[in-house]
């Protein structure tokens, strides 16, 4: 299991004024969200790149070019429910209880994130984009 954590977009804290239209929480939008955020990161729209640690949007561009993406919060929820992820089995899926980034913005200041839940799914919460969490990429086949 990889133990490296990253910031979402370190300088974006309280800078995401277009959060309501830039990304979506909906199932099926992770790929679009990821493309949007990479474009914003490449253009430094929310501030300096890699402000004090590495941002995920700069690190995953090769994988995204191969079809991978950061799941939306609803995609994460579907993943957690369908696999019945709990505190007892999350490590069976090579997940960490510390939490994972989604590609969905929650507000000008927060991004949706997930952690294993004991009810058979994932617990949704929010983090500032300068927190340090894991990133898990997804793909459709």
């Amino acid at each position: 299991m990889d133990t490296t954590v990253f910031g979402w977009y370190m300088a974006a804290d309280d800078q995401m004024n277009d959060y309501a239209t830039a990304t979506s929480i909906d199932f099926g939008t992770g790929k679009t969200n990821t493309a949007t955020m990479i474009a914003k990161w490449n253009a430094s729209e929310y501030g300096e790149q890699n402000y004090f640690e590495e941002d995920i949007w700069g690190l995953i561009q090769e994988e995204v070019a191969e079809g991978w993406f950061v799941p939306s919060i609803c995609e994460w929820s579907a993943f957690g429910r369908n696999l019945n992820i709990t505190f007892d089995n999350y490590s069976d899926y090579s997940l960490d209880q510390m939490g994972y980034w989604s590609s969905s913005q929650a507000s000008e200041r927060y991004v949706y994130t997930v952690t294993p839940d004991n009810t058979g799914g994932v617990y949704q919460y929010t983090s500032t984009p300068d927190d340090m969490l894991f990133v898990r990429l997804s793909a459709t086949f």
Side-chain angles (χ1 to χ4, degrees), residues 10-29:
M10 294 281 182
D13 187 7
D14 222 12
Q15 301 299 313
M16 301 181 292
N17 298 328
D18 61 351
Y19 75 92
T21 57
T23 64
S24 173
I25 64 169
D26 295 335
F27 186 87
T29 61

Side-chain angles (χ1 to χ4, degrees), residues 2-97:
D2 189 3
T3 58
T4 307
V5 292
F6 305 98
W8 193 81
Y9 186 155
M10 294 281 182
D13 187 7
D14 222 12
Q15 301 299 313
M16 301 181 292
N17 298 328
D18 61 351
Y19 75 92
T21 57
T23 64
S24 173
I25 64 169
D26 295 335
F27 186 87
T29 61
K31 190 174 275 197
T32 302
N33 290 350
T34 298
T36 297
M37 288 312 306
I38 286 175
K40 287 183 175 296
W41 188 86
N42 285 344
S44 300
E45 280 190 40
Y46 294 148
E48 183 180 338
Q49 299 170 348
N50 301 321
Y51 186 59
F52 58 90
E53 292 287 342
E54 290 185 286
D55 299 320
I56 63 172
W57 307 114
L59 295 170
I60 64 169
Q61 292 190 26
E62 285 183 25
E63 291 83 358
V64 169
E66 296 172 2
W68 294 91
F69 59 92
V70 179
S72 71
I73 193 64
C74 287
E75 289 166 339
W76 260 115
S77 293
F79 171 73
R81 273 192 315 272
N82 285 323
L83 294 177
N84 195 32
I85 295 172
T86 67
F87 288 132
D88 295 329
N89 70 7
Y90 69 87
S91 61
D92 295 345
Y93 298 99
S94 297
L95 295 173
D96 190 284
Q97 66 182 351

Side-chain angles (χ1 to χ4, degrees), residues 91-119:
S91 61
D92 295 345
Y93 298 99
S94 297
L95 295 173
D96 190 284
Q97 66 182 351
M98 184 172 169
Y100 290 85
W101 292 113
S102 83
S103 59
S104 304
Q105 297 164 307
S107 70
E108 291 179 11
R109 181 154 200 228
Y110 293 102
V111 177
Y112 285 108
T113 52
V114 297
T115 191
D117 187 346
N118 213 27
T119 62

